[in-house]
Amino acid sequence: MKIKRKINKIKVVFTVWMIIHTGVIFSANTGDIVITEFFYNQSAGNLPEYVELFNKTESTIDLDGWKVEIDGIQVEIDVTFNIDSHGYVVILSSSGLLRSEDGTTYCSSSHYGFPFNVCDLTIDNLFWRMGTFSDLSNTFGTIKIWDNSTTSIIVDSVAYNGATSFSFGEGISGKSA
């Protein structure tokens, strides 16, 4: 009888551990998803303003219900939007397009439709929708990522100041960090 109780306790502990680590109850912990890059002060170049996120965990995380807050204005990710283990996703500004040097336009596979977010190729790891941030401040600002838990937590945040010299790629007139 004692062996059955111990086995049952081990099963319960293992089940709780699995639930926590697979994100069934807790979607992420602070630092699981991090802001790795953002592009602001857009010029006439090919790049829109964007925020890039990286998943530091061993599991794919669905960002549906998560919020990106830019200078106090929140945009909710309102579709299934997976970020693979050790993978990246990009949240695009209101233009919704990336354009390569050869002129190919790429856009989000979410909220695809005329007249916005129409392109040559859709990509699943780009997110865009009407109401996405129009731009990032060219002088200073704060970007926060909120999870979708019942008591939403800030998973990562970054503050920037345009007066600080950010390095950026050759031929790119905007600023990235």
Side-chain angles (χ1 to χ4, degrees), residues 1-88:
M1 194 63 151
K2 286 186 178 184
I3 292 175
K4 283 186 178 182
R5 276 192 243 163
K6 285 185 180 186
I7 291 173
N8 285 337
K9 284 183 182 181
I10 290 171
K11 286 180 183 178
V12 168
V13 168
F14 180 75
T15 302
V16 169
W17 182 83
M18 286 298 295
I19 288 171
I20 290 170
H21 282 84
T22 58
V24 174
I25 292 179
F26 306 105
S27 57
N29 295 309
T30 301
D32 284 352
I33 302 294
V34 293
I35 301 164
T36 50
E37 185 175 308
F38 56 95
F39 189 75
Y40 70 103
N41 197 11
Q42 180 185 11
S43 65
N46 296 334
L47 292 175
E49 295 187 5
Y50 65 84
V51 176
E52 178 187 80
L53 307 178
F54 177 72
N55 179 354
K56 292 173 48 178
T57 72
E58 298 297 325
S59 303
T60 296
I61 297 177
D62 183 3
L63 299 177
D64 187 8
W66 286 51
K67 294 172 187 69
V68 178
E69 181 180 314
I70 297 172
D71 297 329
I73 299 170
Q74 288 188 349
V75 174
E76 184 172 341
I77 297 171
D78 59 349
V79 294
T80 297
F81 186 56
N82 291 322
I83 181 169
D84 295 331
S85 169
H86 303 288
Y88 295 88

Side-chain angles (χ1 to χ4, degrees), residues 90-140:
V90 172
I91 299 167
L92 297 170
S93 67
S94 59
S95 74
L97 299 174
L98 288 172
R99 182 162 290 129
S100 68
E101 289 182 14
D102 70 2
T104 304
T105 56
Y106 301 90
C107 62
S108 171
S109 57
S110 60
H111 302 293
Y112 183 79
F114 186 79
F116 302 104
N117 198 38
V118 177
C119 56
D120 300 318
L121 296 170
T122 60
I123 301 176
D124 291 338
N125 65 343
L126 297 176
F127 177 80
W128 175 89
R129 74 175 175 99
M130 290 295 282
T132 302
F133 61 94
S134 59
D135 65 10
L136 296 167
S137 170
N138 293 342
T139 53
F140 60 89

